[in-house]
Amino acid sequence: MELSSQQIVETKAWRDMGLTDAEFDRIVEQMGRLPNWTELGMYAVLWSEHCAYKHSRALFHLFPTEGEQILQGPGENAGIVDLGDGLAAVFKVESHNSPSAVEPYQGAATGVGGILRDIFTMGARPVAVLNSLRFGSLDDERVRYLFAGVVSGISGYGNAVGVPTVGGEVAFDPSYRGNPLVNAMAVGIVEHRYIARGKASGVGNPVMVVGARTGRDGIHGASFSSAELDDDTEVPTIQAGDPFTEKLLVEACLELIQSGVVIGIQDMGAAGLTSSAAEMASRAGSGIELDVLKVPRREEGMTPYEIMLSESQERMLVVPKRGSEEQVEAIFKKWGLEAAVIGRVTDDGMLRVMEGDRVAAEVPVASIVDGAPRYEPAKQRPAYLDETINVEMPPPPQNYAQTLLDLLASPTIASKEWVYRQYDHTLGAGTVVAPGEGDAAVLRIRGTKKGLALTIDCNQRYVYLNPRRGAQIAVAEAARNISCVGAKPLAITDGMNFGNPEKPEVFWQFDQAVRGISEACAALNTPVTGGNVSFYNEKGGQAIHPTPMIGMIGLLDDVEKRVGMGWRQAGHRIILLGENRNELGASEYLALRGIVGGDAPELDLEREAAVQALVRSLIADGIAVSAHDCADGGLAVALAEACIVSGIGASIAVEADFRADALLFGETQSRIVISAAPEHVAEVERQAKEAGVPCTVLGETGGDSLKIDVGATPDGPESPLSISLEELERAWKGTIPRAMEGEAGVEAYVASASSEKGAD
Amino acid sequence: MRYGIIVFPGSSGDADMYHVLRDVLGAEVEYIWHRDSAVDHVDCLILPGGASYGDALRPGAIARFAPVMQAVRTFAERGGLVLGIGNGFQILCEAGLLPGAFLPNRGVRFISRSVYVRVEQTDTPFTRRCEPGQVLRLPIAHRFGNYFVDDAALAQLEERGQIVFRYCTASGELAEAANPNGARAHIAGVCNEQRNVLGMMAHPERAAEDLLGSVDGRLVFASIADALAASGRVQGV
């Protein structure tokens, strides 16, 4: 039931659409009159937090966004980074948290579909998808349902659309119980000459809708995503994804862009036709007039309001050169898709929506795109930090071997093979470092000798316990992972997931995280090229842990030089780059012992940059033949993982003058474990000295167990640790299949690994 | 010699196959559109992997009606070499060019991983460069790979030597744990009675370069080249 302008005022109807009274007044002021129902709906979605970044935009100026490698920073559908050889990488991360909490399969599937459209709308062929997921505890049945549904949605969409899913991360923490996080990152490659942008320029040029028909799904999805979830939250129809149509759309759009007739092109994501038309006009400083009766629809009797706000998937808005309409139609027809002219580019700065001869809505582009208020919310350091920082350390463990096995088996550290086995990661015949093989995924860049390294990372416990440093570490760890395969970090996209920004404590976390990311990106020369902010991730008033996910890309000049995380052969020396420190705060080890506390580990960005440069140099020289960073679970877990992945044991002797659990399980940053042939140890030491990075020979590879002798380290185990590879593997690989499929599910993962071992 | 790769709406392995045949193996290769009907100018037709028609109904169920499939049938009947990979294998079964059908994987989920397959027959144009019993390491990526035939058809396949690949352990033994999808009799690939049409679930085109960890897939393409050279059959049936 559509209300008249008068009725809107009487009933304060904007409130149900998520607008405040002040925001409504602002709309009236900017329009110079009262909006009608359709106009109010259009404003409500474009001025939603999801689209307008009302609470975050004021901080974006802090991000470093420039660098010689950056061809496109924030402001477009995705960032673009130069790869040389006339090629560029296009990448972006986006959240689909709210839909995934309601309908995990479709929520995750359309998340993948949406981020892929952001990539090919820039003219790039999508070559990889990654994802970063957060769930509550796996003991919870509802959490297992969400986890299984999200993974299968990503699998169902990504595999069928023909883009490999090559990496990502999954972590479990009770704070995500009612509000899982589903962030998808997509990466594409484009020749410079085919880069397209989302601009509606050239008065009189046609405006066309291409791809799927428009239905009633997802109306007000962006507004829904901008509110906290409560049990009585009214849930819109979740959009359904169709990877088959998307695959055809990829091919048709790339063919269209390469044909040279495209002036501008943009996908229809949140807020559908309203946002794509308004944003394309905004970027060009133009206007658009369109007729909703010309939009191909799949349902009868849709109103202008519904057509303008539909979030039906797999649609794009295209502005081609005048006179090329038939060529556009022919290309889409070839791929079995529709293309329809719905309007023209104008020069009056208005988005005018016609329904035949009737003006259904007429809004100023500048107002609806950029006129939303920018809030600078109050911020306050949360009180919990005073408690967490002073947490008392537990006594050393009774049984170090069991503690290591327990850590390996903790869901956040445990092998995610159950997940990535469901993702087609070899599609594209270009995945050089596959999931589980290295610290970052590596793709070969066809037609060159180069490799593209990809990762997405965040340790939310660090951010919770120290938002600024935690966010710095997220960037540092992403860059370390890129460096550990031998690639040079180039740029990031940030997936910011936080609670309600109107709460001063939440906004303080956000503000700190933005500063932390900015500092680390500046220090590591990885500018921000764009990203996504998802606020209101709360359930029952309880916010998630602040989770700024860092999606990063890096470049290998010679892809043949890449290394994985596992040992290469017996008899190699194991060397630690960086130094061990007496830190246990924020560790998985403490969490295992029931303590979410302490401070995030120290981070010296200069040291971090030096360690990363050193490992890249050692890999490029062919000296480091494996590299793995010390992250969750610390040094002992890093060593165990290198053993499990390679099927080769290790004998380690390491000593410290502080407690042994901090040495083995503390999560001190800027540490990388490498392996190298014995004759290269001197060269490692020489380069480390030159770089000012401490390095220590820890031991050597070989045998069928992991042995760790901590010597005279205080509070250490009575005798050196010795754990068989089989035990390590079972602990690490068994957890997730056991939780999801029961004990019977475990064998398929553990047994297969041992049979794969004999492969090379 | 010249390869033709058929492109259905939803095919996604076409570009990988093109890359391997042209850039890695130096063969002549072209795409053939699903609406086309001229295929006789090529020496070997490949139906690539992917999700043709979005796997609507069942994988391959719609693709069998594509206009090009009549030409594929005629090409095969005249003795032309036809290779179906993954979804291509499913299409060949749906079209009746190969026996059998596909069920969802045991465990229902999509499976993407490296597996071992044992070469059961070396007297086919697709495996003549392999040793009998040779174990190949190849990637699989599918949700409907659980090959099924009834008892009578299985007996016939065995008798006529049409089972070309079986899933196995690294050392070549048949074991339930080494059968990733529950396929009947561990079947990973079959040929027709005339031995000129082969379907396989594993992807040889994803294992044709050292950089990607296995080059075992090259044996399939080397065999095809060998067979065509031996038959003196180049361009045109």
Side-chain angles (χ1 to χ4, degrees), chain A residues 85-295:
Chain A
D85 296 320
L87 298 175
V90 176
F91 75 119
K92 187 168 184 222
V93 67
E94 202 161 79
S95 67
H96 239 217
N97 305 333
S98 307
S100 303
V102 178
E103 220 298 30
Y105 184 97
Q106 286 300 346
T110 52
V112 173
I115 194 64
L116 285 172
R117 286 193 293 284
D118 280 331
I119 302 309
F120 66 79
T121 193
M122 311 286 299
R125 175 167 289 280
V127 295
V129 175
L130 294 88
N131 54 73
S132 180
L133 312 177
R134 294 293 182 281
F135 300 96
S137 162
L138 272 180
D139 304 333
D140 188 314
E141 193 183 341
R142 167 89 188 158
V143 168
R144 292 197 299 273
Y145 161 78
L146 291 172
F147 177 40
V150 164
V151 170
S152 107
I154 292 170
S155 152
Y157 201 101
N159 300 347
V161 80
V163 181
T165 300
V166 301
E169 52 157 15
V170 190
F172 303 89
D173 184 282
S175 80
Y176 305 105
R177 185 184 177 281
N179 197 125
L181 299 185
V182 177
N183 283 216
M185 164 174 160
V187 187
I189 291 184
V190 63
E191 288 182 49
H192 288 185
R193 61 189 170 133
Y194 291 137
I195 291 173
R197 290 196 164 85
K199 276 185 187 159
S201 48
V203 174
N205 279 328
V207 175
M208 302 180 76
V209 171
V210 301
R213 297 187 150 224
T214 298
R216 288 193 169 91
D217 42 346
I219 291 172
H220 273 295
S223 306
F224 164 63
S225 298
S226 305
E228 288 178 39
L229 291 181
D230 280 309
D231 290 334
D232 58 353
T233 301
E234 202 176 314
V235 174
T237 327
I238 302 290
Q239 322 78 295
D242 173 8
F244 176 53
T245 302
E246 178 107 334
K247 167 68 175 164
L248 303 175
L249 196 58
V250 173
E251 300 303 334
C253 287
L254 293 180
E255 188 173 331
L256 178 69
I257 290 166
Q258 290 170 17
S259 77
V261 303
V262 173
I263 304 283
I265 178 168
Q266 171 150 342
D267 79 299
M268 292 196 211
L273 191 48
T274 300
S275 67
S276 53
E279 287 174 15
M280 285 183 75
S282 165
R283 288 196 197 98
S286 63
I288 283 181
E289 178 174 311
L290 59 87
D291 182 351
V292 291
L293 296 182
K294 293 182 177 162
V295 176

